[in-house]
Amino acid sequence: MTQNKISVIVEDIKEETPFVKSFKLSSNDGYELPIFSGGSYITTYIDLPNGETMVRTYSLINNSKKTGYYQIAIQLNEASKGGSFYWHHHVKIGDCLQISYPSNYFLLSFQAKHHVFFATGIGITPFLSMIEEIEHNKETFELHYAAKSENSCAFYQFLKSNYPDQVHFYFSEEGNRMDKDLLTNLPIDSHVYFCGTEEMINEFSQTAKALGYPEKSIHFY
């Protein structure tokens, strides 16, 4: 560990969907990694063959109570020639890189009586650690998750198996879309969280405001 960065090794790589891979990062010096809170992210630093350093930021998706490793998930952008392309096609198990200490600008609200998450695509990533933290705290939540299809829905089996009553999927290729009407009739003092496409975040957050949600009850990333 340096003062501002942590040296890690890529311990495992898993293909979550044809376009999403998860990467398990472990400390390169045997130390436990710093604790973090649900919704946290890290910045990664990879030294490229041309001498440049590729800097990218990704949400931590593993259980925040387990600091033996960090896990991130990266979606391949078909047009990418940089970050996601390099991670998908060049990063291998055993590779070493540096990461920042965790930071968090997408904290769970301690004032919420009920947490309601809305995700599209790779926007699911910060919610994975958040819902595990909620479960640990014995609080309640529901997750609404939109993707093109089951095959392209990252962490579908994990979410369906572990949270069958709290998670609701919407697959556009089946004509099933996540609707803003889901914001109505939620329990009093619910907080809503949005992560995904800019269009979804704008539409859903504006609808929440129009429905009378207090500003402090609306969170987006």
Side-chain angles (χ1 to χ4, degrees):
M1 291 188 187
T2 65
Q3 184 175 1
N4 298 312
K5 295 178 183 176
I6 305 166
S7 295
V8 295
I9 186 170
V10 179
E11 183 178 331
D12 192 29
I13 301 172
K14 182 179 179 182
E15 185 175 282
E16 304 292 348
T17 77
F19 293 98
V20 176
K21 286 184 177 181
S22 63
F23 298 82
K24 184 178 181 180
L25 310 175
S26 299
S27 172
N28 204 23
D29 54 16
Y31 288 103
E32 285 283 297
L33 293 168
I35 61 173
F36 66 96
S37 53
S40 294
Y41 68 88
I42 56 171
T43 301
T44 63
Y45 305 87
I46 295 181
D47 293 328
L48 302 177
N50 64 5
E52 296 181 0
T53 299
M54 185 177 69
V55 181
R56 294 292 187 275
T57 298
Y58 302 106
S59 295
L60 291 171
I61 65 172
N62 56 295
N63 189 327
S64 63
K65 307 303 177 187
K66 298 178 181 178
T67 54
Y69 67 93
Y70 288 161
Q71 192 172 12
I72 59 176
I74 301 172
Q75 178 174 275
L76 176 64
N77 182 336
E78 294 184 60
S80 172
K81 295 181 180 179
S84 67
F85 181 88
Y86 193 91
W87 274 93
H88 271 249
H89 295 291
H90 295 288
V91 173
K92 307 179 299 299
I93 293 174
D95 284 357
C96 295
L97 63 142
Q98 290 191 313
I99 62 172
S100 69
Y101 282 74
S103 297
N104 197 342
Y105 297 107
F106 199 37
L107 289 161
L108 287 166
S109 171
F110 294 110
Q111 297 177 321
K113 301 297 184 185
H114 182 63
H115 305 271
V116 187
F117 302 109
F118 295 87
T120 55
I122 200 63
I124 188 61
T125 53
F127 295 147
L128 294 172
S129 62
M130 294 168 88
I131 61 179
E132 292 206 68
E133 187 167 306
I134 287 171
E135 287 280 282
H136 177 80
N137 294 338
K138 298 186 176 0
E139 299 174 4
T140 62
F141 80 93
E142 59 190 88
L143 167 65
H144 301 276
Y145 181 11
K148 287 184 179 180
S149 64
E150 179 180 323
N151 187 51
S152 66
C153 185
F155 309 103
Y156 173 77
Q157 287 298 337
F158 169 80
L159 291 166
K160 185 178 179 182
S161 299
N162 288 279
Y163 310 106
D165 298 325
Q166 297 104 318
V167 180
H168 310 275
F169 299 97
Y170 307 86
F171 300 133
S172 58
E173 289 186 357
E174 298 176 4
N176 187 13
R177 294 184 177 274
M178 191 168 68
D179 194 277
K180 296 186 293 294
D181 288 345
L182 292 165
L183 289 163
T184 62
N185 300 319
L186 291 176
I188 294 173
D189 292 328
S190 291
H191 280 232
V192 291
Y193 305 76
F194 308 117
C195 190
T197 63
E198 184 177 353
E199 180 183 10
M200 183 277 283
I201 292 172
N202 288 337
E203 286 185 3
F204 276 68
S205 60
Q206 290 301 319
T207 298
K209 291 176 185 176
L211 289 169
Y213 282 76
E215 290 277 355
K216 66 179 182 179
S217 299
I218 302 171
H219 314 269
F220 52 86
Y221 184 58

